[in-house]
Amino acid sequence: MDIDRRTLMTGLAASMTFASEAEAASGFYSGTAWYVRGWGSRYFLPAELASRGNNRVWVSKAMIAALDRVRAEVGHPIRILSGYRDPSHNRRIGGAPNSRHIVGDAADIDLSRYDEWARYALLWHLIDNGFTSFGTYGDRPNMLHADMRPRAAIWRHGGGLHPDWLRRALAEWRWEPIGGSPFR
């Protein structure tokens, strides 16, 4: 079957339109760090959440809306250290095979400019806006992982205890992941 260039290009354009409509219906923003159609964030750019591997974006629209609300509520910028990770980049940096960064509903947040009260407030706003799970890192005390997985969880990478501010905040709010206390 012979196909001319115009027919081929028309078919490709139509399939790209259908793909972008499917992405919109699926509830994810998708594209390159430089261009994501219909990006709906007031405070964050696609490049802030793009994979450091292939510069692609695949992030939940619900997460972006929640991050925008949190940013508005805390009243100061939130610096994202890691958003989406393509699977290859995630493997290269030693990320969990089932990382929420691959799923597109996680962000690692820089806490280096936050005092204890500001960290506490940020955590409250994250929980209040639908973030269900949190992680901390022994070697990166100024980073908080937050994601929107369906079943709440908390984890610590690198051993030791979660930071005091996090333990106190979650205990005070009686936050508990599925399956029991986060501090066993």
Side-chain angles (χ1 to χ4, degrees):
M1 169 187 233
D2 290 329
I3 228 170
D4 64 66
R5 179 173 163 68
R6 182 177 179 166
T7 303
L8 175 65
M9 296 309 287
T10 302
L12 288 173
S15 68
M16 287 171 43
T17 300
F18 293 136
S20 65
E21 288 171 2
E23 288 167 2
S26 72
F28 285 84
Y29 291 113
S30 177
T32 66
W34 308 280
Y35 180 73
V36 175
R37 177 173 289 172
W39 185 253
S41 176
R42 178 176 177 191
Y43 297 107
F44 300 94
L45 298 172
E48 293 177 87
L49 292 126
S51 176
R52 304 297 185 253
N54 65 7
N55 276 332
R56 301 281 308 164
V57 174
W58 176 260
V59 292
S60 159
K61 290 181 177 181
M63 182 186 73
I64 297 303
L67 283 173
D68 261 359
R69 289 190 304 272
V70 170
R71 164 56 180 90
E73 291 167 5
V74 299
H76 56 75
I78 296 172
R79 183 170 172 244
I80 305 297
L81 298 170
S82 180
Y84 171 68
R85 292 184 199 148
D86 65 89
S88 176
H89 177 66
N90 189 64
R91 276 190 304 278
R92 207 169 27 257
I93 65 167
N98 57 349
S99 172
R100 299 308 295 188
H101 290 280
I102 296 170
V103 174
D105 69 357
D108 290 338
I109 299 170
D110 179 8
L111 302 176
S112 62
R113 296 183 178 155
Y114 290 53
D115 62 20
E116 189 168 308
W117 185 91
R119 291 173 185 212
Y120 198 84
L122 175 67
L123 182 66
W124 172 254
H125 290 292
L126 289 167
I127 291 169
D128 197 42
N129 282 285
F131 285 86
T132 59
S133 301
F134 305 95
T136 59
Y137 302 84
D139 62 341
R140 299 192 74 187
N142 290 317
M143 186 166 76
L144 176 67
H145 169 96
D147 69 56
M148 301 181 98
R149 71 185 74 189
R151 295 175 57 96
I154 189 166
W155 50 265
R156 171 94 171 147
H157 185 271
L161 299 174
H162 289 287
D164 287 341
W165 68 268
L166 180 65
R167 291 195 327 246
R168 281 195 310 274
L170 294 178
E172 181 179 320
W173 300 328
R174 292 183 170 78
W175 180 93
E176 195 170 287
I178 303 302
S181 171
F183 305 117
R184 291 185 185 157

